[in-house]
């Protein structure tokens, strides 16, 4: 029997069956069949995350091991599920479920929907797989599953040249990133004779840095960095994210690039001592947030502006990751969850606006606040959250991130961070001002399902902003399990 | 009363009333201002019940757990230092919501023409209440993150109010206002986060632990930059004139008297009381800065032709007085600063509201196009004079008492032992002349002399705009006649500073 964690199994099987379901739906003219199936799959995946969490909590050392056929580590592939992986799977499935429901109306007039939903489900399966992979090889397989699905999804609207061009650029850059990952895999294998994280960690963690090790570090950074759009590897993102269909932009910005960041964090934290990556990450975070914020200020296209804002948010997360403390990691993980809600919502609302108005130019949205009040309200809440205004969840995680920088002895980084955050308000407010202004934009409010999802997410943003404790609790456990659980991790895999 | 959680009610009730007021305004339009006044009147009553205790130095505290794993509690505090801040904010918000009924009706009709959508009223009053909650929450906070939360929470609604209902290029001005104060606030946040890593707590009570640490001056500097931006002292004031001028007048009447004064309160609460020795090192800078602000604001206001711009610079100059009181480092001066916040709140609120009334009746704020209005608008003229007296410190208004306390503090306190202290005191005494001068001169230009052209038919504003101002003027005089109700509270909280 193939030993696969339940959420992943659900997504893989569900995604695999989707073409058949789609065929049935088309032949038998059953409306909503494949949409309903997709939603069901996503809901089941989300639902099965909690039992998995219970299972992980009950397991010895809080690590659940599932070996793939082909032998045990150090050679065979495996899943190593800890609270961190479950946390990521939860973030992914929650956003995916919301986006799936939203897509049913957003995409209803498009063709090739079976393709769309299949790719969507498989992309999520890829991400959940990345979150739970226990060795580099498994990670890479799911990584590519996520990447390839997303290439096609970005250029899904293939009747226009923009998405094709953006998709191609994305594909070229991301494939280069994957090539670097392969290179780093071969280096890792050459140095340690294994691809298993635990074994690699055991042999590398305490080693003095050698040129080869630094090469490994660099290739890893480039490989994962391209996917997570760390400046200077970000150039594909401002093209790809705006050109994708609305729900896909929400997924890409909301969780896909964060999955890249998660993978980077996981591998780097397991295999390198903090002192090696701390200055690099701190410098990258400064460059990422500053450059992205300045560029975002110059955009006139709403989705493109949001894309740059995603890059800057990656910069904030890097602040937390660069600290090397559990507190900073907790902030980064919390920000991944919060950002998935905020940026997901922002892109969904932008999608609704594009859907109704037919334009992405901010200047053409004057007066939209009166025509599409609920979408505008949700978008405003999402943008205020992204700017880190208190009572939204964005504030809670940002304050932990900047606080962690001070705690790790990098007050300058914290100052640069908060100033960036303050600067970023300028472009968020510009959108809100445009929506609130009086103007001629004529559009009707989006369909009920789309509005409903937007309002629900806006509500979640405020609820988790006022009462962050539940998410903080899980993020806290997850961060500790990455940082302090290395020993447990090793002993779970390699035996005592 | 204490078992009824009055402070929680003060925070929750206006918040809970927000949707009610919103929906009411959607149906009924402008009269929602009266509905918005109901919860504010109730909370004011609750505050008054707490007053006798606070005067005796009793602290009223309500606290809840919030997010324990990151060290957050949610506490609400009323003591001698904060009670009058809260009363002032609440009173002004209450009276201005009644004032807004006619005023914002006028503004909305100007903006939208005849159709004037009911959503415009609805969002005005909803944001208005949120703004009030933000200000009250800031003053009641017991820990730094909670303080920051409300500090920002009062920024967003006030920005939206300026952006949606302001005058001139209100969008640019709103952005200017938001970004300046936001940048100040995030620098404050860095200070707050640093204290957490030194003391392991966000509570105000932990701040005193920092005083002996080497990082203390940096933290105090970060706090000061944050607060002084909000206060708009010289150099950090670039947002102020435009914002106060272009904001809707009913909001300016809260921005200037109620909101910017929260900053000196926070300086007292965060820095002066817990970190007295560290603060001492900053004293010369603050005194000099206060004097520059005071003089610059005073002189600039002499040069203005627009009534609101004039008032904006005069606010800046008054903030100079308040800062000087805070910088005096004596019980009397610090109490005087908070007291002057109260008097300035009464006086400046009257004056801004009068500016709104002029705009309502005349349609312009240009002083050069006014004159001789005392015959046409006798009540407004009287109110203006009382407002000016309160600000300039003419007995028997409360302004006299508060300014007297500031001066006494400056002469009496540690400042007077140095040459700098003596010269500072001399300068401010001279400056009171300018304050009076710019105050009375504007009264002369607007209300006396020959009646300006085209103003023959002007009359006093409607009663709903006048009555709140009359109440304020009466309170200002009552407090001036019996200042102990304010000063007892302040002395009880600040007596520890006595030097």
């Amino acid at each position: 029997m193939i030993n696969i964690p339940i959420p992943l199994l659900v997504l893989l099987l569900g995604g695999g069956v989707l073409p058949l379901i789609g065929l049935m739906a088309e032949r038998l003219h059953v409306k909503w069949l494949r949409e309903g199936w997709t939603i069901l799959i996503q809901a089941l995946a989300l639902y099965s995350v909690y039992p998995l969490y219970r299972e992980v909590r009950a397991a010895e050392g809080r690590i659940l091991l599932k070996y793939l056929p082909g032998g045990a580590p150090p050679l065979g592939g495996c899943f190593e599920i800890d609270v961190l992986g479950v946390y990521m799977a939860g973030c992914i499935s929650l956003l995916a479920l919301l986006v799936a429901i939203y897509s049913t109306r957003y995409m209803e007039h498009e063709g090739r929907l079976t393709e769309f939903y299949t790719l969507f489900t498989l992309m999520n399966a890829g991400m959940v797989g990345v979150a739970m992979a226990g060795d580099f090889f498994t990670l890479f397989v799911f990584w590519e599953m996520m990447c390839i699905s997303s290439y096609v999804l970005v250029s899904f609207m293939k009747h226009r040249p923009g998405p094709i061009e953006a998709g191609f650029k994305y594909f070229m850059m991301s494939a280069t990133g994957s090539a670097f990952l392969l290179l780093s895999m071969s280096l890792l294998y050459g140095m340690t004779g294994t691809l298993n994280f635990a074994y690699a960690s055991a042999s590398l963690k305490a080693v003095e840095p050698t040129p080869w090790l630094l090469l490994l570090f660099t290739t890893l950074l480039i490989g994962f960095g391209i996917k997570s759009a760390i400046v200077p590897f970000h150039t594909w993102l401002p093209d790809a994210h705006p050109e994708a269909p609305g729900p896909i932009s929400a997924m890409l910005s909301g969780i896909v690039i964060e999955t890249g960041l998660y993978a980077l964090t996981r591998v780097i934290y397991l295999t390198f001592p903090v002192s090696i990556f701390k200055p690099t990450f701190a410098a990258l975070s400064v460059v990422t947030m500053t450059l992205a914020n300045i560029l975002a200020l110059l955009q006139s296209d709403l989705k493109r502006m949001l894309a740059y804002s995603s890059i800057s948010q990656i910069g904030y997360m890097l602040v937390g990751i660069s600290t090397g403390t559990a507190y900073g990691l907790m902030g980064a993980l919390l920000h991944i969850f919060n950002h998935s809600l905020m940026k997901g919502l922002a892109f969904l609302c932008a999608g609704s606006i594009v859907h109704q108005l037919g334009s992405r130019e901010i200047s053409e949205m004057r007066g939209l606040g009166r025509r599409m009040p609920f979408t505008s309200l949700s978008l405003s809440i999402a943008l205020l959250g992204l700017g880190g205004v208190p009572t939204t969840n964005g504030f809670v995680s940002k304050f932990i991130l900047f606080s962690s920088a001070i705690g790790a002895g990098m007050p300058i980084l914290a100052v640069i961070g908060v100033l960036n955050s303050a600067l970023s308000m300028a472009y968020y407010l510009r959108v809100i001002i445009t929506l609130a202004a009086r103007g001629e934009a004529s559009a009707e409010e989006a369909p009920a399902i789309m509005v409903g999802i937007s309002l629900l997410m806006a509500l979640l943003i405020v609820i988790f902003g006022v009462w962050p404790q539940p998410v903080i609790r899980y993020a806290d456990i997850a961060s500790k399990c990455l940082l302090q659980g290395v020993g447990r991790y090793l002993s779970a895999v390699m035996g005592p | 009363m204490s078992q009824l959680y009055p402070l929680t009610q003060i925070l929750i009730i206006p918040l809970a009333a927000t949707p009610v007021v919103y929906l009411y305004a959607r149906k009924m339009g402008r009269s929602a201002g009266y509905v918005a006044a109901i919860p504010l009147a109730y909370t004011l009553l609750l505050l008054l019940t707490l007053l006798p205790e606070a005067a005796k130095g009793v602290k009223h505290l309500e606290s809840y757990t919030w997010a324990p794993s990151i060290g957050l509690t949610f506490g609400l505090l009323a003591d001698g230092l904060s009670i009058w801040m809260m009363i002032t904010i609440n009173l002004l918000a209450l009276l201005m919501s009644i004032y807004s009924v006619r005023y914002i009706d006028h503004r909305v009709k100007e903006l939208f023409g005849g159709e004037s959508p009911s959503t415009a009223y609805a969002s005005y009053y909803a944001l208005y209440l949120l703004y009030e909650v933000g200000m009250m929450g800031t003053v009641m906070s017991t820990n730094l993150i909670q303080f920051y939360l409300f500090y920002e929470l009062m920024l967003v609604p006030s920005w939206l109010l300026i952006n949606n209902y302001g005058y001139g290029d209100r969008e640019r001005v709103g952005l200017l206002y938001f970004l300046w104060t936001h940048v100040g606030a995030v620098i404050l946040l860095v200070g707050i986060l640093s204290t957490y890593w030194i003391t392991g707590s966000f509570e105000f009570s932990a701040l005193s632990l920092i005083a002996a640490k080497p990082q203390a001056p940096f933290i105090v500097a970060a706090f000061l930059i944050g607060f002084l931006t909000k206060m708009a002292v010289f150099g950090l004031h670039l947002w102020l004139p435009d914002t106060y001028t272009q904001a809707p007048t009913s909001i300016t009447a809260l921005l200037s008297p109620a909101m910017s004064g929260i900053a000196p309160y926070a300086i007292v609460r965060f820095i002066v009381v817990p970190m007295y020795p560290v603060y001492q090192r900053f004293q010369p800078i603050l005194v000099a800065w206060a004097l520059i602000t005071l003089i610059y604001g005073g002189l600039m206001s002499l040069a203005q032709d627009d009534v609101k711009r004039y008032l904006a610079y005069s606010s800046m100059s008054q903030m100079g007085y308040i800062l000087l009181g805070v910088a005096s480092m004596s019980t009397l001066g610090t109490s005087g600063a908070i007291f002057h916040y109260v008097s300035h709140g009464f006086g400046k609120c009257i004056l801004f509201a009068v500016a709104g009334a002029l705009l309502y009746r005349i349609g312009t704020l240009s002083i050069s196009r006014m004159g001789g209005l005392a015959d046409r608008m006798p009540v407004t003229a009287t109110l203006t004079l009382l407002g000016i007296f309160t600000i300039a410190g003419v007995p028997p208004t409360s302004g006299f008492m508060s300014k007297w306390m500031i001066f006494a503090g400056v002469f009496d306190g540690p400042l007077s032992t140095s040459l700098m202290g003596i010269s500072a005191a001399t300068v401010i005494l001279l400056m009171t002349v300018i304050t009076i001068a710019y105050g009375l001169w504007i009264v002369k230009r607007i209300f006396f002399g020959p009646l300006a052209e085209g103003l023959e038919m002007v009359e006093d504003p409607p009663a709903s705009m006048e009555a709140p101002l009359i109440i304020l003027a009466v309170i200002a005089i009552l407090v001036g006649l019996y200042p102990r109700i304010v000063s007892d509270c302040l002395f009880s909280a600040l007596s520890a500073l006595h030097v």
Side-chain angles (χ1 to χ4, degrees):
Chain A
M1 142 151 199
I2 302 180
N3 209 351
I4 293 183
I6 329 162
L8 185 55
L9 189 67
V10 169
L11 286 171
L12 282 175
L13 282 181
V17 179
L18 239 166
L20 287 177
I21 302 266
L23 194 67
M24 252 164 67
E26 269 163 37
R27 288 285 155 82
L28 303 175
H29 302 289
V30 189
K31 270 190 166 176
W32 299 107
L33 181 61
R34 56 191 165 199
E35 286 85 356
W37 177 258
T38 314
I39 294 172
L40 180 72
I41 293 297
Q42 301 299 345
L44 274 179
L46 180 62
Y47 179 72
S48 60
V49 168
Y50 191 68
L52 187 69
Y53 173 71
R54 299 289 297 273
E55 209 181 331
V56 169
R57 288 300 294 260
E60 198 183 341
R62 293 195 180 162
I63 308 251
L64 206 58
L65 282 177
K66 291 188 186 285
Y67 296 131
L68 288 170
L75 285 175
C78 70
F79 292 105
E80 290 165 8
I81 308 150
D82 53 8
V83 181
L84 177 58
V86 176
Y87 177 86
M88 280 305 293
C91 295
I92 295 163
S93 324
L94 176 64
L95 185 65
L97 174 63
L98 293 167
V99 168
I101 299 173
Y102 177 91
S103 309
T104 53
R105 284 309 291 272
Y106 186 90
M107 299 298 292
E108 68 184 341
H109 300 300
E110 304 295 329
R112 299 176 291 130
L113 281 182
T114 309
E115 213 174 304
F116 177 81
Y117 287 113
T118 311
L119 287 166
F120 177 76
T121 313
L122 289 178
M123 182 172 79
N124 300 333
M127 282 189 282
V128 174
V130 168
M132 295 178 173
D135 64 305
F136 221 134
F137 186 78
T138 318
L139 184 138
F140 192 74
V141 170
F142 285 105
W143 179 263
E144 284 298 293
M145 191 162 152
M146 162 182 104
C147 288
I148 293 170
S149 315
S150 63
Y151 305 146
V152 187
L153 285 171
V154 164
S155 26
F156 191 75
M157 307 290 201
K158 63 181 182 186
H159 52 276
R160 286 188 290 121
I164 302 285
E165 188 200 337
F168 190 69
K169 187 172 179 185
Y170 175 33
F171 168 67
M172 288 308 288
M173 287 200 60
S174 189
T176 315
S178 300
F180 270 97
L181 277 188
L182 268 178
L183 180 60
S184 67
M185 276 169 73
S186 56
L187 283 171
L188 189 68
Y189 192 79
M191 278 189 268
T192 62
T194 177
L195 288 176
N196 186 286
F197 291 147
Y199 281 89
S201 173
S203 29
L204 289 182
K205 186 90 178 173
V207 173
E208 285 292 303
T210 62
W212 286 107
L213 212 56
L214 291 179
L215 186 63
L216 173 63
F217 178 69
T218 317
T219 48
L220 278 174
L221 192 62
I222 296 174
F224 288 121
I226 288 179
K227 192 74 203 177
S228 48
I230 297 170
V231 173
F233 314 117
H234 68 287
T235 47
W236 60 272
L237 190 144
D239 292 317
H241 287 203
E243 291 296 347
I248 298 306
S249 314
M251 285 304 287
L252 288 176
S253 265
I255 200 74
V256 173
I257 54 175
E258 281 77 2
T259 306
L261 197 66
Y262 156 83
L264 176 65
T265 314
R266 164 81 85 180
V267 175
I268 297 276
Y269 265 77
L270 275 177
T271 42
F272 293 97
V274 175
S275 56
I276 288 191
F277 61 79
K278 187 171 175 171
T280 319
F281 275 25
L284 282 175
S285 78
V286 170
V287 179
T288 305
M289 56 194 174
T290 313
L291 190 77
N293 275 327
I294 292 170
L295 288 173
L297 212 50
L298 304 175
Q299 304 306 318
S300 61
D301 172 330
L302 176 61
K303 285 180 86 173
R304 212 174 158 83
M305 187 210 89
L306 288 175
Y308 276 110
S309 140
S310 296
I311 303 176
S312 75
Q313 303 285 336
I314 289 286
Y316 302 141
M317 293 172 203
L318 278 174
V319 171
I321 294 170
S322 71
T323 60
T325 59
Y327 187 70
L329 267 180
M330 188 252 277
L333 290 174
L334 192 63
H335 203 57
I336 287 180
F337 174 78
N338 290 341
H339 181 252
S340 79
L341 281 180
M342 294 185 294
K343 193 50 68 60
L345 174 57
F347 266 116
L348 291 186
C349 290
S352 299
I353 290 174
V354 174
H355 191 260
Q356 300 300 111
L357 186 71
S359 167
R360 303 200 308 232
E361 288 301 310
I362 297 176
S363 56
E364 288 174 33
M365 293 174 193
R366 285 188 81 83
L368 214 56
R370 271 166 234 292
R371 306 273 175 273
M372 304 174 69
F374 298 113
T375 306
S376 303
L377 176 71
S378 318
L379 181 58
S380 305
I381 291 178
L383 292 176
L384 289 177
L386 288 167
V389 171
T391 67
T392 62
N393 57 6
F395 167 69
V396 180
S397 43
K398 267 194 189 173
F399 118 71
I400 295 178
L401 284 172
F402 298 140
S403 173
S404 73
I406 295 177
M410 301 186 283
I412 304 293
L413 185 61
V415 172
I416 296 174
V418 293
L419 287 180
N420 257 296
S421 177
L423 172 76
S424 72
M425 280 315 294
Y427 55 85
Y428 296 130
L429 292 186
R430 199 159 59 100
V431 176
I432 301 178
I433 289 175
T434 313
L435 292 175
R438 282 186 305 145
E440 303 77 54
S442 62
E444 282 174 12
E445 184 56 278
I449 292 182
M450 283 154 69
V451 171
I453 289 289
S454 306
L455 287 177
L456 175 68
M457 290 175 80
L459 189 66
L460 284 177
I461 288 174
V462 175
I463 288 177
F464 288 130
V466 179
W467 189 51
Q469 185 58 20
V471 194
I472 288 181
R473 194 174 138 238
Y474 291 113
D476 191 31
I477 304 173
S479 66
K480 284 189 179 124
C481 104
L482 179 58
L483 202 71
Q484 294 154 8
V486 179
R488 282 210 306 268
Y489 201 71
L490 300 189
S491 59
V493 181
M494 298 159 72
Chain B
M1 271 321 273
S2 60
Q3 65 274 31
L4 291 174
Y5 301 104
L7 295 179
T8 315
Q9 286 193 46
I10 287 167
L11 206 58
I12 297 291
I13 285 181
L15 193 64
T18 307
V20 179
V21 170
Y22 183 86
L23 293 174
Y24 179 86
R26 285 293 294 266
K27 286 265 179 251
M28 308 301 289
R30 71 177 192 189
S31 62
Y34 299 122
V35 181
I38 297 170
L40 297 178
Y42 174 69
T43 55
L44 186 62
L45 282 179
L46 283 177
L47 273 174
L48 291 177
T49 61
L50 292 172
L51 186 58
E53 277 187 21
K56 286 186 212 121
V58 182
K59 288 183 177 177
H60 185 92
L61 180 70
E62 291 162 25
S63 71
Y64 307 89
T65 54
W66 184 12
S69 47
I70 47 174
L72 291 183
T73 54
F74 193 90
L76 299 169
L77 171 77
D79 63 0
L81 185 58
S82 63
I83 186 92
W84 271 96
M85 301 282 302
M86 289 154 70
I87 291 176
T88 311
I89 295 169
N90 201 325
L91 180 68
L92 296 187
L94 166 65
L95 294 174
M96 280 301 111
S97 81
I98 293 168
Y99 173 89
S100 296
V101 171
R102 294 297 290 268
Y103 174 77
I104 213 68
D105 185 40
H106 175 70
R107 180 66 192 137
V108 167
K109 289 208 169 105
E110 240 173 29
L111 277 171
F112 296 93
E115 37 156 358
S116 56
S118 60
T119 47
Y121 300 103
S123 65
Y124 175 82
Y125 287 109
L127 290 169
Y128 185 90
L129 282 178
L130 282 180
Y131 182 35
E132 194 265 355
V133 170
M135 289 193 285
M136 294 296 275
T138 315
V139 180
M140 287 195 276
S141 301
T142 59
N143 78 55
L144 292 160
I145 286 294
Q146 188 194 348
F147 176 89
Y148 182 80
L149 186 147
F150 285 113
Y151 197 74
E152 289 278 81
L153 194 62
M154 68 187 178
L155 180 58
V156 177
S158 57
W159 162 68
L160 277 169
L161 286 167
I162 294 170
N163 182 62
N164 294 354
Y165 303 94
Y167 298 86
D169 51 351
R170 53 182 194 272
E171 294 180 356
R172 183 188 66 83
V173 170
L175 209 55
L176 191 72
Y177 162 67
F178 193 109
L179 289 179
W180 267 94
T181 44
H182 187 58
V183 168
V186 295
I187 292 172
L188 167 69
L189 182 64
V190 174
I192 291 175
L193 296 177
S194 310
T195 62
Y196 176 71
W197 289 98
I198 296 171
T199 64
S201 159
F202 286 117
E203 298 296 313
F204 287 171
S205 48
L207 279 170
S208 53
L209 302 175
I210 300 171
K213 295 286 193 304
Q215 300 95 326
F218 296 102
I219 292 175
V220 171
F223 281 179
L224 281 177
I225 291 174
F227 295 137
L228 295 182
T229 317
K230 198 79 160 187
M231 250 175 117
V233 294
F234 179 76
L236 301 173
H237 71 286
L238 298 176
W239 59 273
L240 177 136
D242 279 346
T243 307
Y244 286 4
T245 313
Q246 309 298 6
T249 314
S250 50
I251 297 307
T252 318
L254 292 180
L255 280 176
S256 154
M259 191 191 73
S260 62
I262 290 176
Y265 159 78
I267 293 179
V268 175
R269 177 76 88 190
F270 288 10
I271 307 173
V272 180
V273 175
M275 293 192 268
Y276 195 80
V278 187
Y279 183 61
Q280 235 158 0
R281 291 200 250 163
F282 286 86
Q283 192 194 18
I285 306 172
L286 287 180
V287 171
W289 215 345
L291 287 177
I292 295 170
T293 309
L294 198 153
I295 295 169
Y296 177 83
L299 293 179
M300 284 301 280
S301 64
L302 276 173
Q304 303 304 320
D305 183 52
D306 181 307
V307 180
K308 274 165 94 179
R309 221 177 167 81
Y310 155 82
L311 290 172
Y313 277 111
S314 121
S315 291
M316 190 176 158
S317 145
Q318 296 302 316
M319 283 300 146
Y321 280 107
I322 294 182
L323 184 62
L324 193 69
V326 171
S328 75
M329 308 212 55
S330 61
T331 306
L332 210 52
T334 314
S335 310
I338 303 290
F339 198 165
H340 196 57
Y341 164 84
V342 176
S343 327
H344 174 250
F346 296 155
K348 196 46 73 60
C349 185
I350 294 176
L351 290 176
F352 271 117
V354 163
L358 291 172
L359 198 61
Y360 184 84
R361 281 300 189 212
I362 305 176
T364 177
L365 282 173
S366 169
I367 298 174
S368 54
R369 291 169 59 194
M370 301 179 194
L373 282 171
D375 288 341
R376 311 291 328 157
M377 308 173 87
V379 182
T380 314
T382 318
L383 285 169
T384 313
L385 261 182
L386 282 174
I388 299 273
F389 285 169
T390 309
I391 293 199
V394 175
T397 60
S398 60
F400 170 71
M401 288 314 296
S402 52
K403 274 214 173 144
W404 178 82
M405 278 164 73
I406 293 180
F407 291 162
V410 171
F411 276 113
D412 201 39
L415 259 181
S416 62
T417 49
S418 63
L419 182 63
M420 182 171 174
I422 303 292
S423 41
T426 318
V427 170
I428 57 166
L429 273 184
L430 290 175
M431 278 308 294
T432 48
V433 180
I434 294 193
T435 315
I436 293 276
Y438 72 65
L440 291 181
W441 191 43
I442 196 174
V443 172
K444 178 192 162 287
R445 283 193 289 167
I446 296 178
F447 291 105
F448 297 101
L451 188 62
E453 250 176 78
L455 301 183
E456 291 79 15
M457 302 305 289
V458 173
E459 50 184 11
D460 270 320
S464 72
M465 287 172 79
E466 262 173 12
L469 309 185
I470 296 171
I471 296 173
L472 263 183
V474 170
I475 294 175
I477 293 174
L478 287 182
V479 172
L481 290 175
Y482 190 67
R484 276 192 60 185
I485 52 170
V486 181
S487 57
D488 274 3
C489 296
L490 293 169
F491 288 150
S492 76
L494 292 170
S495 55
L497 287 182
H498 209 54
V499 217

